[in-house]
Amino acid sequence: AILCDGEQKFKGHPYIFERKGDAFEGKPYDIFAADVRRMAAALLGMKLSGRNIILYGENSYHYMAADIAIMGYVGVSCTLSKEWGLRDLLNAVELLDAGAVVYANAKADVIAELRHRNPQLHCMTFDELANFDAQMPLTPRDPHACSKIIFSSGTTGIPKAVMLSTDNMYAN
């Protein structure tokens, strides 16, 4: 519902700015919303409804669109630190019973080893997910259900998982 409300208010207005070389390029809200829906349809087409999906890598436009797609329509977005290595990623996949990992191109070496150890796990780059041409009717997830898991930094010990609902994140 949040995506639809924003689309009505901000259609055509620059919403997210991403660095392209030395400049920033603004993406209009309606383009962002269409990208979110396309990514959600692709993930649902992979039978990932209700699953925990890990996002791994640096922040980008496609990272943000995937995050909203998962939280809003698919399952639980589990964002990991881009600093985490293979051991941390393997632990997170097991702990979260992850259905997929969507990752930045810079993490390809770590993901290659992850795929070797977990061949059944769906793994794709943010760019690959963004290029799926999928469409289907989408039903927004319950705003009270867990839609995001983030991890504390672990500076005082082992990182701890924090579960959030859409209502938790977007409350006024």
Side-chain angles (χ1 to χ4, degrees):
I2 291 170
L3 190 65
C4 296
D5 293 344
E7 197 167 14
Q8 296 299 317
K9 292 178 189 174
F10 305 114
K11 185 175 183 163
H13 292 275
Y15 177 67
I16 293 179
F17 291 83
E18 186 169 39
R19 183 183 293 274
K20 297 289 184 180
D22 292 335
F24 285 90
E25 176 185 302
K27 295 275 190 174
Y29 194 95
D30 48 322
I31 300 297
F32 176 74
D35 289 343
V36 166
R37 288 188 186 96
R38 191 177 61 257
M39 289 180 175
L43 293 165
L44 290 168
M46 293 176 207
K47 310 293 186 225
L48 293 169
S49 179
R51 298 294 309 271
N52 293 335
I53 301 170
I54 291 174
L55 301 181
Y56 181 51
E58 67 276 355
N59 200 356
S60 68
Y61 172 80
H62 289 142
Y63 184 109
M64 290 183 274
D67 192 31
I68 299 298
I70 296 163
M71 291 187 302
Y73 299 103
V74 181
V76 180
S77 175
C78 307
T79 54
L80 303 185
S81 170
K82 67 180 179 182
E83 306 302 324
W84 284 15
L86 178 61
R87 189 185 99 240
D88 296 319
L89 181 58
L90 288 167
N91 287 338
V93 166
E94 183 179 341
L95 173 72
L96 296 166
D97 187 27
V101 177
V102 186
Y103 64 96
N105 293 330
K107 297 298 183 182
D109 291 344
V110 176
I111 296 299
E113 183 59 30
L114 176 69
R115 281 182 166 153
H116 176 72
R117 295 181 188 204
N118 295 284
Q120 77 289 353
L121 186 66
H122 290 279
C123 296
M124 72 210 81
T125 66
F126 289 107
D127 292 339
E128 289 169 339
L129 180 58
N131 288 321
F132 271 91
D133 187 19
Q135 293 182 0
M136 68 173 54
L138 299 173
T139 303
R141 295 188 73 242
D142 177 356
H144 305 293
C146 178
S147 61
K148 188 163 190 82
I149 296 175
I150 58 174
F151 287 86
S152 65
S153 64
T155 54
T156 60
I158 296 172
K160 292 160 187 69
V162 178
M163 297 172 28
L164 300 168
S165 70
T166 305
D167 273 357
N168 292 140
M169 291 180 283
Y170 295 106
N172 277 338

